[in-house]
Amino acid sequence: MDSPHQILGPSRRSLLLGAGATALTAAAATASTSTASAAGTASGGVGVAAEVAVPAPDTLPLTGGPEFPIGLFWPPHPYASTAPRFAEIKNAGFDFLISGNYAGDGNIFQYQLGLARDAGLKMLISDDIQIRNMSRWFSISDNPADFLSVTPAEAQALYLRARNAYGPYSSLAGFNFYDEPGAGWFATLAKALAISRELAPQLLPYVNLLPSDDPAYYRNFVDVVQPSLISFDRYPLLSEGREDANYFHNWAIVRDAALHGDIPAWVFIQTLAYNNHREPTAAELLWQVNISLAYGAKGIQYFTYWTPEAARGEGFGPALITVDGQRTSRYYAAQQINTAWLHPVGRELKPLISETVEHANETPLPNGAVAFAPTTLVSGVTGDAVVVGTFRSRDAATTDRWLLIANRSHSARAKAVVALNQQTVGSVSLFQPARQKYVPQRVGPVQLSLAPGAATLVKLTAK
C-alpha cells in the first residue's frame, strides 16, 4: 500500500560519510577500543555481535512513565521554529515531535531541541546524517565486499557523533532510525538498535513501519529487530466518503505483533487531505483516536501538524497548521481531543494489556474484525455498532476488566446497551475525563449514547 510518508523523506540520497572516510575510520577505531572490553569482540571488534540488553519500554522516554504519548510529524519548518510556535504545540496537548520539514542540519536540530526543552516537549530526531548513514543509506556489515556498507565500528562512530551532539539536551527522546523500512532492512536495523542500546540505553530507538496486510512483515520486525515499540501508519479516510476496507485488518495484525513482543503499539492518524484521501472532520479525528485506543494503541501520532507545501507533491491539503502558519479548525479539534480526552483516558489505558477487541452489532464485519462474544462479565452488547476493546491488568491475579467502547461511526450518534452478568460483576464505574476519576453506577445494563467518533471507558470489578 502506498504511503505519503515516502514523499516527505529526504529529497535525494546522500552518500557522503559526514566528515570523510579518514576521520570516520579514526573515530571508528576509538569507538571500537572504548567498547570492546564491555561488549566483547567479534570480527568487527564491537558489541553488535554480542548480546545487548533490550531495555524494558517502561524505562524509556515516551514509552515509559504514566503519561500517554501524543506526538506529531512535520513540525514547524526552521524559519518558523520559534518559542511561540513550540509553545503552540505544547498548548495543543502534544508531548513530542518528530523532526522534519527541512530540518536536516545539526545546528537546527540543536536549536529545536532547545526550543522543545523550554516548551516542555520531547523530540525524536529524524534525518540526522550520522543516523541515516548507519541505518538507512548503508547496511552494517563486516564484509568489505558488501556494497554500500559500513563496518560495525564505523556505525558505532556515526552513532557516537549523533549522541554526543544532541545528548546534552534533556528534550532528546531518541532517534528515528528509519521511516517505513522494507523487510530486507530488518537485519541492519537490528544491528543499529543494538548499537544504540549499547551506547545510549536511556534513549528510545524509533522505527515507523509501512501500512501492510501481511502479518509476517510486523511479526518479523518484532522478532528480528527487537524494537522498543511498533509504530505504523495507515490513513483510512478516503475520498468520496469511503473508508479503507483493510484498516481494521492492519490494526489487528499490528496489535497481534505488539502483544507477541510485549511492546507498545503506536499509530499515526490522518489530519489532512491528500491523493485519494479526504479532509477529516473533528469527529473523524476523534474516531481514528478511539478506534486505535480500542485496538490497544499506547501512543498516538498526528500526520501532519504543519502542512507540506505544494511542491512536495501528493496534493496535501491543510493540516492542523496551514503552510503559511495559520491554525485550522483541526488544530482546535486536536487540542480538545488531546487535552480533554486522550491524555486523561490514555493514562488509564497505558499500563493495561489489550485482551480482546471486538465489533458488536456490525454486519457484515470489516476484514480482520472479530465479532463480539459474551464473557463472564459482559453477557451482551445491543443497539448500534460499536467497537469494544477489553483490557486487563498486568497483575494476573486481578480479575477487574476495563472496556473502551468506541462508536463505530464517525458520522452518526450510536446508542448501545452493555448487559452485565450480575452474578459475576461486583461494581461498575464510568470514567469521567474532566474529573479524572471513575464514577460508580448501579450494577445493571450500561446505557451509552456516543457522539460520532466518541468513546467511553468502563471499569468492571469482579465479585
Side-chain angles (χ1 to χ4, degrees):
M1 179 178 178
D2 293 336
S3 169
H5 283 229
Q6 295 171 357
I7 201 69
L8 295 181
S11 59
R12 65 189 181 94
R13 174 170 171 163
S14 170
L15 300 180
L16 299 176
L17 284 176
T22 301
L24 182 65
T25 302
T30 301
S32 178
T33 301
S34 64
T35 59
S37 59
T41 58
S43 54
V46 293
V48 291
E51 288 295 325
V52 177
V54 178
D58 59 8
T59 67
L60 295 170
L62 303 178
T63 54
E67 294 299 321
F68 188 94
I70 307 174
L72 61 88
F73 181 63
W74 217 244
H77 57 75
Y79 288 114
S81 291
T82 63
R85 283 297 186 188
F86 275 59
E88 184 175 48
I89 293 172
K90 182 67 175 179
N91 290 339
F94 290 99
D95 305 298
F96 72 97
L97 58 103
I98 303 170
S99 68
N101 202 353
Y102 301 102
D105 176 90
N107 291 323
I108 295 173
F109 289 142
Q110 290 176 331
Y111 179 67
Q112 290 181 329
L113 283 165
L115 292 174
R117 176 198 59 211
D118 295 345
L121 295 165
K122 292 289 187 180
M123 184 168 160
L124 290 166
I125 292 182
S126 292
D127 300 338
D128 175 76
I129 191 170
Q130 321 301 333
I131 301 299
R132 286 263 168 193
N133 282 337
M134 72 171 286
S135 65
R136 184 178 179 116
W137 300 145
F138 298 90
S139 63
I140 300 174
S141 173
D142 282 312
N143 186 351
D146 285 346
F147 181 63
L148 288 177
S149 65
V150 296
T151 67
E154 289 169 335
Q156 276 201 329
L158 289 165
Y159 186 83
L160 282 170
R161 286 186 188 173
R163 184 202 69 181
N164 293 343
Y166 313 121
Y169 291 87
S170 60
S171 52
L172 177 66
F175 294 101
N176 181 2
F177 281 83
Y178 205 125
D179 190 37
E180 300 185 326
W185 212 250
F186 289 173
T188 279
L189 284 172
K191 296 173 184 177
L193 265 63
I195 288 171
S196 170
R197 288 163 173 154
E198 183 181 9
L199 299 178
Q202 76 282 6
L203 296 179
L204 176 66
Y206 174 91
V207 178
N208 177 63
L209 298 178
L210 286 159
S212 176
D213 299 311
D214 179 11
Y217 172 65
Y218 299 103
R219 183 65 74 97
N220 290 342
F221 174 73
V222 170
D223 289 339
V224 174
V225 179
Q226 298 186 61
S228 296
L229 62 93
I230 183 167
S231 172
F232 80 110
D233 55 82
R234 187 162 191 149
Y235 304 116
L237 304 172
L238 307 181
S239 58
E240 299 174 348
R242 297 171 298 131
E243 283 182 10
D244 182 338
N246 285 322
Y247 180 64
F248 296 105
H249 178 247
N250 203 155
W251 238 128
I253 58 180
V254 169
R255 174 183 172 273
D256 178 75
L259 291 172
H260 169 70
D262 193 21
I263 54 176
W266 289 9
V267 69
F268 279 90
I269 68 165
Q270 173 188 341
T271 69
L272 76 178
Y274 68 96
N275 289 352
N276 298 316
H277 289 71
R278 67 180 181 271
E279 181 178 284
T281 65
E284 288 171 336
L285 289 179
L286 181 60
W287 179 83
Q288 293 177 82
V289 166
N290 283 327
I291 291 297
S292 298
L293 291 178
Y295 271 80
K298 304 299 184 183
I300 296 290
Q301 305 157 99
Y302 285 67
F303 179 90
T304 62
Y305 178 76
W306 203 275
T307 302
E309 75 285 357
R312 302 294 311 199
E314 294 289 312
F316 289 113
L320 305 191
I321 305 292
T322 65
V323 71
D324 59 352
Q326 303 301 309
R327 298 176 186 178
T328 69
S329 61
R330 283 171 301 291
Y331 171 89
Y332 297 102
Q335 183 181 50
Q336 177 68 16
I337 292 168
N338 294 345
T339 59
W341 171 251
L342 185 50
H343 265 307
V345 79
R347 290 187 201 102
E348 301 300 315
L349 293 174
K350 188 177 182 181
L352 304 178
I353 296 176
S354 174
E355 188 172 57
T356 61
V357 57
E358 298 168 324
H359 291 230
N361 312 318
E362 185 172 7
T363 305
L365 285 170
N367 184 32
V370 175
F372 174 81
T375 69
T376 56
L377 298 178
V378 181
S379 56
V381 180
T382 57
D384 296 321
V386 291
V387 180
V388 182
T390 303
F391 299 84
R392 63 175 175 85
S393 169
R394 283 193 170 273
D395 181 358
T398 300
T399 56
D400 298 345
R401 291 296 184 269
W402 290 258
L403 308 179
L404 193 286
I405 305 167
N407 189 344
R408 173 62 180 86
S409 174
H410 41 65
S411 59
R413 179 172 290 274
K415 293 185 177 182
V417 178
V418 180
L420 304 178
N421 185 340
Q422 298 189 37
Q423 303 302 313
T424 58
V425 176
S427 66
V428 182
S429 53
L430 273 61
F431 183 68
Q432 292 191 355
R435 300 170 63 186
Q436 299 188 42
K437 64 180 295 185
Y438 290 92
V439 177
Q441 71 166 44
R442 178 181 59 85
V443 176
V446 180
Q447 311 241 2
L448 301 176
S449 180
L450 301 172
T456 193
L457 179 60
V458 181
K459 182 178 180 181
L460 304 178
T461 301
K463 287 183 177 179

